[in-house]
Amino acid sequence: MCGIIGYIGEDDAVSFLIEGLRKLEYRGYDSCGVVVEDANGNTELYKTKGKIAHLEDILANNIENIKGNIGLGHTRWATHGKPSKENAHPHFDCEKKIFVVHNGIIENFNYLKRDLTKKGHKFHSDTDTEIIAHLIEEFYEGDLLSAVLKSLELVAGTFGLGIIHKDEPDKIIVARRGSPLILGVGKNEMVASSDVAAILKLTDRVIYMEDNQVAVLKKDDYKIYSLTRERVRKKPEKVEWKLTDTDKNGFPHYMLKEIYEQPETILNAMRGRILKEEGTIKLGGLESVIDKLKKMKRLIIVSCGTSYHAGLIARYMFEKLTDVNVEVEYASEFRYRNINISENTVVLAISQSGETADTIAALKEAQRKGALTIGLVNVVGSTIARLTTAGVYNHAGPEIGVASTKLFTSQVLILLMIATLLGRFKKLSMNDGLNIINALENLPSQIESILKQSDKIRDIAKKYHKFPSFLYMGRLFNFPTALEGALKLKEVSYIHAEGYPAGEMKHGPIALISPNCPVMAICPKDSMFEKMVGNIKEIEARNGKIIAVTTEENGILKEISDEIITIPETIEMLYPILSVIPLQLFAYYCALYNGCEIDKPRNLAKSVTVE
Ligand code: G6P
């Protein structure tokens, strides 16, 4: 939520900031702004309600005024104060000398604001962020760093901050607690941002700042400090993502691009990790804790959104392949529960971004109670990647579409790989392992074959996109797939949808069945096929419309369904990976026909870094 960016160097700051903000826009897009400062401390500030494109239009009319090699930018997802020009960042102090961009929440801002107001400070916005500019003003005595450090002592909450001062136009100060912040080290230029994607244009040499650190960035130098002003030495590391990974590469939307990337992301998740001759999996990131994992009796998976749905599928996988009991928890609930962490309990966090606030808090709670924590994370160097003792990366490249697609399939795949690896130490035979591996290896071409049906799925979406409500149903492995399909439809096309285990339909949802509420039935020929057919017949008997995702082109489902989307055959545990792809495409095309902003759905943000 919210993206910040700062630039200092020899180039035109504003163009870099705008380009960076475009890459950060997925983090929030209700308002935005930039401030640019020249070497004499002259500043130009532009803010607006709405998206970056709007800001660009405003800047285009003033471009000759915006000279300067230092600047800050921000794209907002409102927490305190509604989306408006006044509440857009950068915020400033009374004298308009200090400018601040912020990602996070200042929890004690009301108290601080009251105090600062008493001292005569005048506020221009309803935001929590603005108090930081005024606090720094209050403490400033010619040394910006010390004023920032004194201010941060008083602040409770989370922040990724960028700060400039007119009187010190040779530096940007950035600070981090609980919100991501990455420095990019270029040649005679330095950048800071909430996401690597916004840095790649300038450099692939980055430093991941830790919590409670502050950095002073000059164009040819950076110094990192603790909040007590002790120097921290950190060298840049090279990022594996390329600039082109963050482009749409000819697709109209990131969501569609990312759906189409799945054959490749599945391959990337497997690359170098399959030991065919041993019928098992090798995950380097778990080797340091493998003895503890072998003894694990209970696995608690914590995650949010789509990552939570992947966790639900893992529960069935672990049950089938290992002797571990698995619980899957919404991180936002887990963090406030009082769960007993017994010996041999491991907590696994699943997170694309590695920055989801609730998942981080859940992990910290688990660590406090003594659990070994591991992660399944896509973003290298992210908070969850660093907080956990060990873990596995997805290597799926950046996911920018707010609705997660390629990460879901990558997560499900890696969770099966982890279960197989552990299963092979116990109840799984070499042949069992090999069967799984063979099925894994077929996935990329099977996904390709589903993607080739895109036109057909588009036609189905054309027919159904005006329906007000949908039910999605599946059983066992495909119950979480139903949840995920319904989530996709809600997120991008704003059509109401609910996912249900098909066996539960009779306990309520079947009352909703009418010609106006179609059912998406996920029904491959697996152990639950006959049961699913029974459930679908019950819908048919009540005049419900049925779209079936199945492996059977010409069987019974053809007779009782209105539409059939076929997927190739695989092992039961892998059906979610294949069956979710038509659901992703269906949601995408419904959104397209409904004229929705697919990559930036209303009210959502990709990276939920506030509670
Ligand atoms: C947001 C995103 C979802 C994502 C969820 C969890 O809601 O819009 O796509 O699944 O956060 O994010 P994480 O990065 O922890 O997987």
Side-chain angles (χ1 to χ4, degrees), residues 304-307 350-354 356 402-404 491 605-606 608:
C304 303
T306 289
S307 300
I350 308 175
S351 176
Q352 184 286 129
S353 61
T356 302
V402 167
S404 181
E491 278 181 307
K606 178 129 193 94
V608 183

Side-chain angles (χ1 to χ4, degrees), residues 498-564:
E498 281 186 57
Y500 255 92
E504 272 293 301
M505 292 294 281
K506 287 200 255 327
H507 299 287
I510 202 160
L512 295 173
I513 297 303
S514 78
N516 272 335
C517 179
V519 174
M520 183 72 84
I522 304 143
C523 187
K525 191 118 196 200
D526 60 10
S527 68
M528 297 312 286
F529 183 77
E530 303 302 336
K531 298 274 175 204
M532 274 298 291
V533 169
N535 298 131
I536 295 171
K537 280 192 163 160
E538 288 157 7
I539 311 281
E540 190 213 8
R542 285 158 185 82
N543 295 324
K545 287 200 169 1
I546 296 147
I547 309 173
V549 177
T550 180
T551 41
E552 296 277 283
E553 183 137 28
N554 289 313
I556 172 78
L557 285 177
K558 182 147 180 147
E559 288 163 31
I560 57 176
S561 308
D562 295 270
E563 320 288 341
I564 293 265

Side-chain angles (χ1 to χ4, degrees), residues 412-601:
V412 173
L413 174 84
I414 294 178
L415 289 163
L416 177 58
M417 289 163 69
I418 299 173
T420 307
L421 161 69
L422 298 180
R424 284 287 287 122
F425 293 121
K426 299 207 173 135
K427 64 184 194 189
L428 268 194
S429 69
M430 165 97 175
N431 266 343
D432 294 336
L434 261 180
N435 283 340
I436 295 172
I437 288 172
N438 289 336
L440 294 182
E441 288 182 333
N442 286 333
L443 283 174
S445 62
Q446 292 180 319
I447 296 173
E448 295 280 6
S449 75
I450 301 171
L451 293 172
K452 286 200 180 113
Q453 296 182 63
S454 180
D455 285 348
K456 177 179 174 182
I457 297 166
R458 186 186 177 124
D459 290 345
I460 298 175
K462 194 170 180 186
K463 211 158 138 190
Y464 287 83
H465 70 280
K466 285 290 174 215
F467 281 83
S469 190
F470 278 76
L471 281 170
Y472 282 60
M473 62 180 204
R475 298 189 81 143
L476 287 186
F477 292 91
N478 281 311
F479 156 49
T481 320
L483 294 177
E484 176 58 12
L487 178 66
K488 288 293 87 92
L489 194 68
K490 279 184 273 216
E491 278 181 307
V492 294
S493 71
Y494 314 146
I495 298 172
H496 170 254
E498 281 186 57
Y500 255 92
E504 272 293 301
M505 292 294 281
K506 287 200 255 327
H507 299 287
I510 202 160
L512 295 173
I513 297 303
S514 78
N516 272 335
C517 179
V519 174
M520 183 72 84
I522 304 143
C523 187
K525 191 118 196 200
D526 60 10
S527 68
M528 297 312 286
F529 183 77
E530 303 302 336
K531 298 274 175 204
M532 274 298 291
V533 169
N535 298 131
I536 295 171
K537 280 192 163 160
E538 288 157 7
I539 311 281
E540 190 213 8
R542 285 158 185 82
N543 295 324
K545 287 200 169 1
I546 296 147
I547 309 173
V549 177
T550 180
T551 41
E552 296 277 283
E553 183 137 28
N554 289 313
I556 172 78
L557 285 177
K558 182 147 180 147
E559 288 163 31
I560 57 176
S561 308
D562 295 270
E563 320 288 341
I564 293 265
I565 303 170
T566 48
I567 56 170
E569 285 183 14
T570 181
I571 54 171
E572 183 155 3
M573 292 180 290
L574 286 176
Y575 274 126
I577 293 185
L578 298 182
S579 57
V580 81
I581 290 171
L583 308 186
Q584 295 169 343
L585 286 167
F586 181 73
Y588 172 81
Y589 286 121
C590 283
L592 197 70
Y593 285 119
N594 283 330
C596 303
E597 279 247 37
I598 294 178
D599 284 332
K600 300 181 200 96

Side-chain angles (χ1 to χ4, degrees), residues 85 264 320:
K85 183 175 173 186
E264 195 187 324
K320 205 173 165 87

Side-chain angles (χ1 to χ4, degrees), residues 7 11-19 34 36 59 63 66 68:
Y7 173 89
D11 268 355
D12 186 22
V14 74
S15 12
F16 180 82
L17 295 176
I18 290 293
E19 205 157 319
V34 287
V36 172
L59 292 176
I63 207 81
I66 317 169

